[in-house]
Amino acid sequence: MHDDERVAEELEALQAILMDEIKILTDESGKAVGVETEVHPWTALDTEQQFVRVSLEIKLPSGYPDTRPIVRLFNPRGLDDSTLNRIKEDISKKCTQDLGQPVIFEIIEIVKEQLTASNMPCVACCICLYGFRSGDDFTKTHCYHYFHSHCLAGHLIASENIFKEEQDKLPPWQQTATFQAVCPVCRAGISYDVEMLRSANPPQELEEAPRTFQPTPELRQLQEKMEALYLKQRSKGGIIQQGNRTLLLSDDNNGEEDNR
């Protein structure tokens, strides 16, 4: 498996501990040149409570463990850049401190510890665009995308209504029998109890958001600029209002209708 006895023993121990969770990378001669694994938080056997994950690749250059391994984190889910940078810093420190000793298992442990401490999605719900707070009811899909349960319920109900409306427009022989809900992010098929999702409380940030819109100073300046442009065009005859329709006339005599 590997010429260095220290590395061979480490890889054998990793396979015994992690079994199918770890993949040994080999070259054409069958020599081990690295490992790859998907790391999750510690949640005992409750995989439904694993809200973040990251893939980890550790390449073993010639001379390892007397030289530093090459570590790559990729395909993160629910993690922000600050958490990933913190993981990378801790790994770098460990590799420096333990130079000359096998460190693959310790690197995996570092990543697991950080994921356990950060086991809350750092991304925003793409439906309401608000983040997740402790106490919010949220759902993690099998494709590792995150939504407030309340928001996902509304999205699924709206999607099914649109599906039914579109089906009603088709001839019977073209209609699809059942509605298939999909993830709003990646379009992978999902299946949830909509009524259960619907019973969840709305996200806290949404509840605390102002009920009336307050334009920013920048938006007010833009409104004033557009109002002045509108009045200028109208004074030159470039705008003709007919009922609830507005006809905009450009310099090349082409018109565009805008329903107001």
Side-chain angles (χ1 to χ4, degrees):
M1 180 178 287
H2 199 279
D3 299 336
D4 192 310
E5 185 176 346
R6 296 170 296 176
V7 180
E9 290 179 354
E10 179 184 31
L11 294 176
E12 288 178 5
L14 285 170
Q15 284 185 306
I17 296 170
L18 300 177
M19 296 184 287
D20 294 338
E21 294 181 19
I22 192 167
K23 177 183 179 182
I24 306 298
L25 307 176
T26 59
D27 60 15
E28 295 178 354
S29 66
K31 178 182 177 180
V33 294
V35 302
E36 185 176 302
T37 184
E38 189 174 88
V39 188
H40 302 266
W42 277 305
T43 57
L45 299 177
D46 191 354
T47 58
E48 292 300 318
Q49 294 302 310
Q50 294 174 345
F51 301 123
V52 295
R53 78 176 189 199
V54 68
S55 295
L56 172 67
E57 180 187 71
I58 305 175
K59 290 287 188 68
L60 308 179
S62 177
Y64 172 82
D66 297 316
T67 57
R68 294 167 58 101
I70 301 171
V71 181
R72 182 169 74 101
L73 299 171
F74 62 101
N75 196 27
R77 289 291 184 269
L79 301 168
D80 59 10
D81 290 340
S82 63
T83 302
L84 292 172
N85 290 334
R86 188 164 58 249
I87 294 173
K88 293 175 183 177
E89 290 175 3
D90 289 349
I91 291 173
S92 180
K93 290 177 183 178
K94 171 58 68 174
C95 291
T96 299
Q97 293 171 359
D98 292 357
L99 189 64
Q101 302 177 35
V103 291
I104 298 177
F105 184 77
E106 284 78 4
I107 290 174
I108 296 173
E109 290 287 287
I110 286 172
V111 179
K112 276 188 170 291
E113 289 174 359
Q114 289 284 2
L115 296 192
T116 302
S118 305
N119 194 21
M120 173 67 70
C122 297
V123 296
C125 169
C126 76
I127 297 175
C128 70
L129 302 182
Y130 287 108
F132 300 94
R133 287 188 185 178
S134 178
D136 275 348
D137 296 317
F138 67 92
T139 299
K140 178 198 71 176
T141 63
H142 294 296
C143 45
Y144 269 80
H145 293 118
Y146 311 90
F147 312 95
H148 294 109
S149 299
H150 180 84
C151 299
L152 183 58
H155 171 80
L156 294 178
I157 292 170
S159 297
E160 185 170 9
N161 289 337
I162 293 173
F163 170 80
K164 291 178 179 178
E165 290 175 2
E166 293 300 320
Q167 290 296 305
D168 290 340
K169 298 176 183 177
L170 299 175
W173 60 273
Q174 282 187 335
Q175 293 181 5
T176 303
T178 57
F179 166 72
Q180 172 59 63
V182 297
C183 171
V185 175
C186 68
R187 316 304 293 172
I190 58 176
S191 178
Y192 288 98
D193 184 336
V194 174
E195 290 304 317
M196 183 177 294
L197 294 174
R198 196 175 186 179
S199 66
N201 293 321
Q204 297 176 54
E205 285 195 56
L206 180 61
E207 291 290 276
E208 296 171 1
R211 297 304 179 186
T212 57
F213 175 70
Q214 296 294 333
T216 63
E218 292 77 12
L219 181 56
R220 289 189 180 279
Q221 290 180 0
L222 179 60
Q223 288 174 331
E224 292 172 358
K225 180 179 178 181
M226 297 305 294
E227 181 183 11
L229 179 60
Y230 172 82
L231 293 175
K232 180 180 179 181
Q233 291 177 333
R234 189 175 65 178
S235 67
K236 293 185 177 182
I239 298 177
I240 302 173
Q241 291 184 328
Q242 295 180 340
N244 62 349
R245 290 188 173 185
T246 300
L247 180 64
L248 305 180
L249 302 179
S250 61
D251 293 339
D252 57 2
N253 294 324
N254 291 325
E256 294 182 1
E257 279 194 356
D258 180 24
N259 291 329
R260 299 296 183 181

